Every structure is written in structure tokens, then in C-alpha cells.
Amino acid sequence: MSTSTNPLAHLFEGADDVVAEIERRGAAGADHPADAREEITPYHPKVLDLTVAEVVEETVTTKTFRVRRTDGRPLPPFLAGQYISLHVRVGDVLTSRAFSISSSPAALDHYDLTVRRLRGGRVSNHLIDTVKPGDRLTSGGPIGTFYHDPLFHGDDVVFLAGGSGVAPAMSMIRDIVDHGLSRRMTLLYGSRRADDIIFHDELDAVAREHRDITVHHVISDPGPDWTGEVGPLDAALISRLAGPLAGRMTYLCGPPGKYAYLVRQLESLGHPRRRIRLEANSVALPPPADPRWPAELDPEEQVTVTVRGRGSLRVPRGRPLLDALEDNGLRPEASCRSGECALCRVRVCSGEVFHAEEARLRASDRQFGFAHCCVAYPLTDLEIDF
């Protein structure tokens, strides 16, 4: 093949070089895994060795951890809205959690990870309570599908954020500002109290200085001095603050328990589901709150999970399989912990699992018996392999 025989090649800069390289590799008659690995690894590393450079106290519940690559090299590029999965040891358990990058893709000397304290949050509270500048962390590379695609999402978007769900919105806003993007963005940001609004001053300053960025703060528990908007963030308030939604992509990131409610509010305004994007950052309805959970099965009752070649363990039905494995020193590869990325797939050799609704199972998963163990719960005794 040559560019002279391809009628589209002249439309692409560098097409001649690409075609020549394809022909060179084809003539060699072999794959080039070493070459491919060398080119891909800087962009998609399996492990990043990070050092905490700075810890910023954003609010009484939230801190931002600025991390840099320990060896001083630039960090892999990412798209605003993506996350990294931190590997953290809490007590005797090595686990991981996904945290959205809140810094701008324009600055690759660091990532900012904005973490809010959660009731019962094993990793978030550990980070907030113990991690300090100079500490070392490891993570995977940037990953995730919750980002703006200019081809399909248009240049006028709406973002509904709650709590630390403002982190990917902040990255998107900083991306617009730093790269001078021709994009309009309206942020409706819900917080419980005025003193817990993350990035409050920066968001207000950006909105004042950039006419294409609009920020509305919505408080659910206002104090006597609050003069802004008061929640809940329902259809009427969304319509009044964001204006007509027709043709605009809408992003949702915040407490997953609010997603179903917010989707209903948007749909009641005639906004189609295909124009609503959710950040899948945890499971919204664990058993037995999920109405699909078999009513006759007690989520606290224990079953036996046998891992081929590694022994057996007793776990409650209502505990995610990934958490149960980590509790016992067994660690499948994992990243999103929300059923999306599929890195934590395990093969179910026997027995039955229950998948949370968020699990994005593929046809091949169903055909060959694979489970996304971060959102899979053992209904019966299981034998698995990974």
C-alpha cells in the first residue's frame, strides 16, 4: 500500500511516514513487542512511583494531595476527567482506590488528587489522617472514560457535581482556561455547607474572568449568612440555573446514591439519557438495598470462596468479592472498583455471583463465566481462578 493508492492519505499530515513504517514492519515478517512496549509504556505505565510534594487543606473535610513522579520525569498525559488508582496499605490490607485528577492536563510535572473524608471510608480517611509531604505512593496510570469528547459532546456542556465530585469538573475547567479551549461550561455544584465548598475561591475567580464558564453553588444546609442558591438540585433549579438543555451534554459526578434521582430530574426536563454521562466511582446500591438482590438470601451469611491453587476463605454474601480477597491477602489487578474497567475480572469455575447494576459485563464475560469482582457478590459457595 502507498499513499498514491489511498485517496484519503493526502488529508493526513505525516501519512507517507506512517505508510512507510507499516510497510517496513510488514516486510520484516515479525511482531515488534519490544518496540511497541517502549512506545506505549510512557503513556500507559503499569505502575507509577509517586512522592507527595504538597498537602493542601481545601476545607474541613477535604485535602488535595499534589504528587510528583519520584524519579523527576514528567507524568503520563491524561484527559481532564480521568483518574488514577492509588495503591494503599491500610493496616494489614493492601488495597486501591480511584481518585479523579483535579489538576490541569497542561501541567504534567504533578497530579493533584482531591480527597474528601467519608464516613467509614477506609482509604480516603487514611490518606487525610496520615499522609504528609515526602511520603511515597504508587498508582496505575491515568484511566477512565469520563472526559469530554469534542466530536460527540459538543462545545456547550453542563456539569452537576456534589462534594468531591467537583474534582473532575475542576480539571475540565482548568483545561479550558490553560489551553484556551472554545468551550462553554456551566457547573452546578452542590455542597452541604458553605464552608465545605471545595475550590470555592478559584471557581468564583474563573467564572468572573471567563465568560464561557459559569459556576452556581447550591447549598443544602445553609447558614444564616448564605445568600446563594439552596437545594435540593431538582428539575426546576437545574432548568433555572443551566437554562435549556437541548443538545448539551450533561456530566454527573458525586455521591452515587444521588445519580438515579438526578437522572430522573434531567429526564423530566426532556433531556435524553444518551446525553447524560455518569462517573462510575463506586457502587450506588450494595446488597440488600439493590431491589434485584434475592430476598431469601441473608447478605450477612457466610459462604466459602475457593481460589484455585491458593486456598479457601469464608466471606459474607454482602461483601464485594474483591474486598474479601484483599482482606485475605489475595489481590487481583484492579483500578476503577466500579465495574467499568474490567481489570479485576476473575473466572467463576463453579457457583453463582450477583453483579451490581453498574457492572459493565461484556458478552464474552457472560459466555465464558467471568465476573468483575469489584462489584460481584458471592451468592453461593464459589470456585474462582485469576
Side-chain angles (χ1 to χ4, degrees):
M1 180 181 67
S2 69
T3 53
S4 62
T5 60
N6 188 331
L8 297 178
H10 71 282
L11 299 176
F12 300 94
E13 182 179 351
D16 288 331
D17 294 336
V18 172
V19 170
E21 179 64 11
I22 291 172
E23 292 176 342
R24 183 187 72 80
R25 295 196 178 194
D31 292 333
H32 295 263
D35 293 351
R37 191 177 301 111
E38 184 178 351
E39 294 178 14
I40 291 171
T41 297
Y43 299 96
H44 301 283
K46 294 286 286 185
V47 178
L48 286 170
D49 186 0
L50 305 170
T51 298
V52 178
E54 186 178 355
V55 179
V56 178
E57 188 166 338
E58 304 286 0
T59 73
V60 293
T61 67
T62 307
K63 291 181 179 180
T64 290
F65 299 89
R66 175 161 291 186
V67 296
R68 302 183 190 274
R69 210 164 185 165
T70 302
D71 61 13
R73 291 185 296 160
L75 287 156
F78 67 96
L79 296 171
Q82 290 189 305
Y83 64 86
I84 62 172
S85 182
L86 281 184
H87 310 149
V88 182
R89 184 172 292 280
V90 183
D92 294 331
V93 177
L94 180 61
T95 185
S96 64
R97 290 295 185 276
F99 293 102
S100 295
I101 303 170
S102 58
S103 50
S104 169
L108 294 180
D109 64 319
H110 69 274
Y111 293 154
D112 284 349
L113 307 176
T114 300
V115 181
R116 189 166 185 253
R117 184 181 296 280
L118 299 174
R119 181 179 297 176
R122 173 190 279 184
V123 174
S124 60
N125 295 345
H126 170 78
L127 293 173
I128 288 173
D129 291 336
T130 68
V131 172
K132 59 189 183 301
D135 286 353
R136 299 274 291 272
L137 299 168
T138 60
S139 78
I143 192 173
T145 60
F146 188 72
Y147 53 81
H148 179 265
D149 184 327
L151 184 61
F152 296 103
H153 301 173
D155 59 4
D156 187 0
V157 301
V158 176
F159 200 119
L160 309 183
S164 59
V166 74
M170 192 74 249
S171 183
M172 291 182 184
I173 288 173
R174 288 165 167 165
D175 189 25
I176 293 171
V177 172
D178 291 346
H179 288 115
L181 301 178
S182 179
R183 186 184 308 155
R184 293 182 295 279
M185 182 169 171
T186 300
L187 172 64
L188 278 57
Y189 177 25
S191 303
R192 183 178 177 185
R193 302 187 314 272
D195 64 356
D196 207 17
I197 299 175
I198 307 169
F199 308 126
H200 194 166
D201 292 343
E202 182 178 356
L203 286 170
D204 288 352
V206 168
R208 286 194 302 269
E209 296 167 8
H210 298 269
R211 60 186 178 88
D212 287 336
I213 298 174
T214 303
V215 177
H216 295 286
H217 300 292
V218 181
I219 300 299
S220 61
D221 185 13
D225 298 330
W226 179 252
T227 58
E229 302 292 344
V230 177
L233 194 59
D234 57 14
L237 189 56
I238 293 170
S239 180
R240 180 165 64 83
L241 297 180
L245 297 177
R248 301 164 79 185
M249 187 61 71
T250 301
Y251 304 83
L252 273 61
C253 186
K258 297 287 188 182
Y259 282 176
Y261 167 79
L262 289 171
V263 169
R264 288 197 301 271
Q265 299 305 303
L266 291 168
E267 290 180 335
S268 74
L269 295 171
H271 201 50
R273 182 62 182 83
R274 69 179 183 276
R275 289 203 164 270
I276 303 172
R277 308 197 72 235
L278 311 180
E279 171 62 303
N281 53 7
S282 67
V283 182
L285 291 175
D290 190 322
R292 299 176 302 116
W293 178 263
E296 71 278 8
L297 296 182
D298 180 0
E300 298 301 322
E301 185 176 353
Q302 292 195 340
V303 296
T304 299
V305 176
T306 300
V307 183
R308 281 193 174 177
R310 310 191 201 187
S312 298
L313 49 140
R314 296 282 289 173
V315 302
R317 285 195 181 101
R319 186 153 179 75
L321 191 52
L322 176 58
D323 290 354
L325 291 169
E326 289 181 340
D327 290 345
N328 288 271
L330 300 170
R331 241 190 130 238
E333 186 175 2
S335 186
C336 74
R337 304 184 80 96
S338 60
E340 181 182 46
C341 73
L343 285 178
C344 71
R345 294 192 317 158
V346 298
R347 187 163 67 90
V348 180
C349 307
S350 66
E352 184 180 358
V353 300
F354 173 87
H355 274 106
E357 189 173 1
E358 288 79 3
R360 297 193 180 181
L361 295 175
R362 305 164 183 173
S364 59
D365 293 332
R366 295 186 176 91
Q367 181 179 356
F368 297 107
F370 283 90
H372 294 197
C373 70
C374 64
V375 290
Y377 301 82
L379 293 181
T380 66
D381 291 346
L382 293 181
E383 183 183 17
I384 63 173
D385 192 15
F386 64 89

